[in-house]
Amino acid sequence: MGYSYPGREMVLLHLLLLSVFRVSAQYPQYKVVVGGSHTCVMFNSTVVRCFGDNQYGQYGDGGTTLTNSAPGSFMNLDLTGGRTVKGFFGSSGYASFVVYTDNTVQCCGIGYLAILGYNSFRGTVTPHPTLLTSPSLNSIPGVVDDIKVGWFVACALTTAGTVHCWGCVKHGEWGNGTVPSQAQGTPSNVILPSQRYALSIGVGGMGSNTIDGFSIQTRGTACAVLDDHSLVCWVVRAFCFGIHA
């Protein structure tokens, strides 16, 4: 007879990750990225594999077939011209992001709140299982070093310490004083305190988020640790149902 207990899901997740570690012994520089419903492992700069929920094409393997066990399905990476993967970033929602060594950003999954960088995807739940190259996300000035994705808002950090956010904005999550009337796929520059730059960023989903030792209770909050080790956050928001922000 089956039963459930608090933390059971986390135990199962840990067992899956241990399986990944055993299988990936030949890849000593792996990176595990756990999303809200799917997990992906970057084994090296040319191999990313995913398992868990794939109903919106989060694996980026061209389909929506779910894989329940590690090491999962291969992501169809675009290694054009010999480029490799510099970083892989998951989502607390239903999307995945890849940054290549030539600074190209690709993504897959659901674009309901313009999280994939396409305004035309607003209000739709169509799966996008093939990695897309969004012109909007690839217009971010500078070299993208990190991407953090919540359920409603996504932000990118550049090597110059600038922060750029997009998605569903309701109470100032872009940090630039503007509140658009709809979710926006075009990244907007975050106005940081004068002469400061960001060292790291975090975007909360539904629950808590920790960046550089700071624990933040969130409902879509975006935060950054600055070069003077101060913490700045964009206003905590209410849930955003629908495409209007």
Side-chain angles (χ1 to χ4, degrees):
M1 179 176 179
Y3 64 94
S4 180
Y5 56 87
R8 177 175 179 269
E9 290 77 10
M10 288 304 299
V11 171
L12 294 176
L13 175 59
H14 290 161
L15 290 175
L16 285 174
L17 293 182
L18 286 174
S19 175
V20 171
F21 296 155
R22 288 195 296 270
V23 172
S24 63
Q26 59 182 309
Y27 303 108
Q29 295 183 335
Y30 51 71
K31 174 183 179 182
V32 179
V33 179
V34 181
S37 58
H38 69 293
T39 295
C40 293
V41 181
M42 177 178 165
F43 289 91
N44 57 32
S45 61
T46 62
V47 178
V48 176
R49 302 181 74 166
C50 302
F51 59 93
D53 184 21
N54 190 37
Q55 64 178 315
Y56 297 113
Q58 300 97 299
Y59 293 179
D61 63 356
T64 55
T65 301
L66 182 148
T67 301
N68 281 320
S69 60
S73 177
F74 284 100
M75 179 172 284
N76 292 334
L77 301 170
D78 181 0
L79 305 178
T80 302
R83 70 183 181 187
T84 57
V85 177
K86 179 174 67 174
F88 173 79
F89 309 98
S91 168
S92 60
Y94 302 101
S96 300
F97 292 76
V98 174
V99 178
Y100 295 94
T101 48
D102 64 355
N103 203 41
T104 298
V105 178
Q106 289 192 320
C107 50
C108 58
I110 188 173
Y112 182 64
L113 297 174
I115 286 294
L116 298 185
Y118 291 88
N119 289 335
S120 59
F121 292 170
R122 285 187 305 227
T124 68
V125 292
T126 303
H128 298 281
T130 301
L131 286 169
L132 304 171
T133 305
S134 164
S136 295
L137 300 189
N138 284 279
S139 67
I140 296 173
V143 177
V144 175
D145 189 51
D146 191 11
I147 296 177
K148 290 295 191 297
V149 189
W151 284 91
F152 310 104
V153 179
C155 294
L157 171 68
T158 70
T159 54
T162 60
V163 182
H164 309 266
C165 298
W166 63 97
C168 182
V169 182
K170 188 169 185 177
H171 292 150
E173 292 86 349
W174 284 352
N176 65 2
T178 64
V179 181
S181 60
Q182 288 185 319
Q184 295 294 320
T186 302
S188 180
N189 182 51
V190 173
I191 300 176
L192 299 175
S194 179
Q195 299 185 356
R196 299 266 71 93
Y197 61 88
L199 298 175
S200 62
I201 58 174
V203 176
M206 292 185 285
S208 62
N209 187 29
T210 301
I211 55 173
D212 284 12
F214 293 95
S215 179
I216 311 296
Q217 295 299 315
T218 63
R219 288 295 184 271
T221 315
C223 298
V225 173
L226 305 183
D227 59 298
D228 62 353
H229 303 293
S230 62
L231 176 71
V232 294
C233 294
W234 300 273
V235 181
V236 177
R237 65 199 280 292
F239 293 117
C240 178
F241 297 108
I243 65 174
H244 291 283

